[in-house]
Amino acid sequence: MIRFILLLSLLALPLSVVAQPPQSVAWNIVEGLTTEVGPRLAGTEAESMARIWAVGKLKALGFSNVRSEAFVMPVWVRGDERASLTYDHGPQNLIITALGNSGATPTNGLNGEVIGFSSLEEMIAAPNDEIRGKIVYIGNAMHATQDGSSYGYFGNARRKGPNIAAKKGAVAVVIRSIGTDHHRMPHTGVTNWDADVKPIPSAALSSPDADQIERNLARQHKCFEEFQQKAACSLVSLKLLLTPKFIGERQSGNVIAEVPGTDPAAGVVVIGGHLDSWDLGTGAIDDGAGVAITTAAAKAILDSGKKPRRTVRVIWWGAEEVGGFGGAAYFKAHGTEAHAFASESDFGADRIWRVDFGLPDSAKALVARLTSALAALGIGPGSDPASGGTDVGELVKSGVPVIDLQQDGTRYFDLHHTADDTLDKIDRVQLEQNVAAWAIVLDAVANAPENLLFRVK
Ligand SMILES: [Zn+2]
């Protein structure tokens, strides 16, 4: 009878609840963070809520010394964002999103002729006279690579393009999204201004909308060539409305948790991901996955019941996306402490396929042990020097040993910094492969008998 009642009550549950596989630590974190907090733009109320959530979660998981370390930073928030191509027969709406730190248009928008460039270099080479008073478009199409290496080069159109265009007299900038999808899904991300440059309105177009502008520019170009005079051809022009604003200095913070070690003189091992996200999606792959993967690996050490030699310090970094403020604040507060290792997971949740090392010569045996242990998960050694990620960049630059567990980035830039960065994009099998690899590395570096306090450089 009891069995029958149980069966009946199970049947009364929605099928999705019954069908869920058991929750792993990593899935539980990324599912909880994206569902209960959602988007968490640095310095906002949402990121503050994420820190409260993080402290509660890390305490509940059994970590020691759980705390939030605050710092202040300048905050930019998104407003309305609309764009249309202006044809004689009427406007055609385009899908855009403002770049982080973008300036605003007047409240009723801005109209301008578009001047197009296929790359940042082409725009830099153009005479200022051609650019002055116009809306600059930068094409710069990025293609997917497994290691994500193309982001460094193509991303410069977003990071540096608007500042350079503003200096050359542009009234606004629109770029093709720094992404590899073909959906009407624009990719945001930070753009940087020199101290003496007034931010101009700057936005990213979805890839199909960038194609539309390019086809129109090609027709305009052909028309110029045929008639040799501008007046004979209809110019490509845009109406743009962007109303983001800077709201001054606000509080952000790093959330820190530890598994205390037995040998304080051996140095601290730092791992983690960044807690803040862009505001468009729920920050599942960027970087809910990273905090989930690294925390689950540390939880495995905790659950082993054996104290590690070195203290494991898990950091959920604040304000990474908007300029690495969390990493800078941590280095200022803790940079002089003995660090034996630092690494970050910040490239989604797809499987790790390669490992790059940045360890001192004294740790050759550790590299050999790790290479063999990771091979069992299908991970082979690479030859690039490891760099660790934005938040541990200062530590690594100071010579702290580092390992990069390289994830498959083939689809990462389809989703990166878009509204499509949501939980359903995380493949649970690949997520767990990440946790397994991080657990191997963490166990090895936290317990290595080798001295890891010899600086790498
Ligand atoms: Zn990230």
Side-chain angles (χ1 to χ4, degrees), residues 274 276 285-287 320-321 344 346-347 412 416-417:
H274 65 84
D276 68 307
I285 65 150
D286 189 11
D287 184 27
E320 188 272 350
E321 292 291 4
E344 180 170 17
D346 183 18
F347 201 47
Y412 183 70
H416 181 248
H417 297 182

Short mmCIF file of all heavy atoms in Angstrom, two decimals, residues 274 276 285-287 320-321 344 346-347 412 416-417, ligand 1:
data_model
loop_
_atom_site.label_atom_id
_atom_site.label_comp_id
_atom_site.label_asym_id
_atom_site.label_seq_id
_atom_site.Cartn_x
_atom_site.Cartn_y
_atom_site.Cartn_z
N HIS A 274 34.97 33.17 -12.51
CA HIS A 274 34.41 34.48 -12.12
C HIS A 274 32.91 34.43 -11.91
O HIS A 274 32.18 33.81 -12.67
CB HIS A 274 34.86 35.61 -13.04
CG HIS A 274 34.38 35.54 -14.46
ND1 HIS A 274 33.14 36.01 -14.84
CD2 HIS A 274 34.99 35.09 -15.57
CE1 HIS A 274 33.03 35.84 -16.16
NE2 HIS A 274 34.11 35.27 -16.62
N ASP A 276 30.81 37.18 -11.63
CA ASP A 276 30.02 38.15 -12.40
C ASP A 276 29.78 37.61 -13.81
O ASP A 276 30.50 36.72 -14.28
CB ASP A 276 30.75 39.50 -12.48
CG ASP A 276 32.02 39.43 -13.32
OD1 ASP A 276 32.88 38.56 -13.04
OD2 ASP A 276 32.17 40.23 -14.26
N ILE A 285 27.66 29.49 -19.22
CA ILE A 285 28.99 29.06 -19.69
C ILE A 285 30.05 30.08 -19.30
O ILE A 285 31.22 29.77 -19.22
CB ILE A 285 29.02 28.76 -21.21
CG1 ILE A 285 28.76 30.03 -22.04
CG2 ILE A 285 28.05 27.65 -21.59
CD1 ILE A 285 29.45 30.00 -23.38
N ASP A 286 29.64 31.34 -19.11
CA ASP A 286 30.61 32.41 -18.79
C ASP A 286 30.08 33.20 -17.60
O ASP A 286 29.41 34.20 -17.77
CB ASP A 286 30.80 33.30 -20.02
CG ASP A 286 31.94 34.29 -19.84
OD1 ASP A 286 32.71 34.15 -18.88
OD2 ASP A 286 32.07 35.20 -20.68
N ASP A 287 30.40 32.78 -16.38
CA ASP A 287 31.32 31.72 -16.09
C ASP A 287 30.81 30.89 -14.92
O ASP A 287 31.57 30.45 -14.08
CB ASP A 287 32.71 32.32 -15.80
CG ASP A 287 33.78 31.25 -15.59
OD1 ASP A 287 33.63 30.16 -16.13
OD2 ASP A 287 34.73 31.52 -14.85
N GLU A 320 35.08 40.44 -13.33
CA GLU A 320 36.07 40.06 -14.35
C GLU A 320 35.73 40.67 -15.70
O GLU A 320 36.58 41.23 -16.38
CB GLU A 320 36.15 38.53 -14.46
CG GLU A 320 37.29 38.04 -15.36
CD GLU A 320 36.95 37.91 -16.84
OE1 GLU A 320 35.76 38.02 -17.21
OE2 GLU A 320 37.86 37.73 -17.64
N GLU A 321 34.46 40.52 -16.09
CA GLU A 321 34.06 40.88 -17.46
C GLU A 321 34.35 42.35 -17.79
O GLU A 321 34.65 42.69 -18.92
CB GLU A 321 32.56 40.63 -17.67
CG GLU A 321 32.17 39.16 -17.65
CD GLU A 321 32.69 38.40 -18.87
OE1 GLU A 321 33.42 38.98 -19.69
OE2 GLU A 321 32.36 37.22 -18.97
N GLU A 344 42.56 29.29 -13.40
CA GLU A 344 41.16 29.67 -13.48
C GLU A 344 40.47 28.88 -14.59
O GLU A 344 41.09 28.60 -15.62
CB GLU A 344 41.07 31.18 -13.79
CG GLU A 344 39.64 31.70 -13.91
CD GLU A 344 39.58 33.24 -13.98
OE1 GLU A 344 40.61 33.87 -14.26
OE2 GLU A 344 38.49 33.78 -13.76
N ASP A 346 37.61 29.43 -17.22
CA ASP A 346 36.76 30.50 -17.77
C ASP A 346 36.62 30.36 -19.28
O ASP A 346 36.89 31.28 -20.04
CB ASP A 346 37.38 31.87 -17.40
CG ASP A 346 36.50 33.03 -17.87
OD1 ASP A 346 35.32 32.81 -18.15
OD2 ASP A 346 37.03 34.16 -17.96
N PHE A 347 36.19 29.17 -19.71
CA PHE A 347 36.03 28.97 -21.15
C PHE A 347 34.90 27.99 -21.41
O PHE A 347 34.97 27.14 -22.28
CB PHE A 347 37.37 28.48 -21.75
CG PHE A 347 37.50 28.71 -23.24
CD1 PHE A 347 37.17 29.93 -23.81
CD2 PHE A 347 37.94 27.70 -24.07
CE1 PHE A 347 37.29 30.14 -25.18
CE2 PHE A 347 38.07 27.90 -25.45
CZ PHE A 347 37.74 29.12 -26.00
N TYR A 412 32.08 27.77 -28.17
CA TYR A 412 32.05 28.76 -27.09
C TYR A 412 31.65 30.15 -27.59
O TYR A 412 30.83 30.84 -26.99
CB TYR A 412 33.44 28.81 -26.43
CG TYR A 412 33.53 29.74 -25.24
CD1 TYR A 412 32.87 29.43 -24.05
CD2 TYR A 412 34.25 30.93 -25.30
CE1 TYR A 412 32.95 30.27 -22.96
CE2 TYR A 412 34.33 31.77 -24.21
CZ TYR A 412 33.68 31.45 -23.04
OH TYR A 412 33.75 32.29 -21.96
N HIS A 416 29.04 33.12 -26.26
CA HIS A 416 29.79 34.05 -25.42
C HIS A 416 29.19 35.47 -25.43
O HIS A 416 29.01 36.06 -26.48
CB HIS A 416 31.22 34.07 -26.01
CG HIS A 416 32.21 34.93 -25.34
ND1 HIS A 416 32.74 36.04 -25.93
CD2 HIS A 416 32.82 34.83 -24.13
CE1 HIS A 416 33.64 36.59 -25.13
NE2 HIS A 416 33.70 35.88 -24.03
N HIS A 417 28.85 35.97 -24.21
CA HIS A 417 28.37 37.36 -24.05
C HIS A 417 27.06 37.63 -24.78
O HIS A 417 26.80 38.77 -25.16
CB HIS A 417 29.43 38.37 -24.52
CG HIS A 417 30.70 38.32 -23.73
ND1 HIS A 417 31.76 39.16 -23.97
CD2 HIS A 417 31.09 37.54 -22.69
CE1 HIS A 417 32.75 38.91 -23.12
NE2 HIS A 417 32.36 37.92 -22.34
ZN ZN B 1 34.51 34.80 -18.64
#
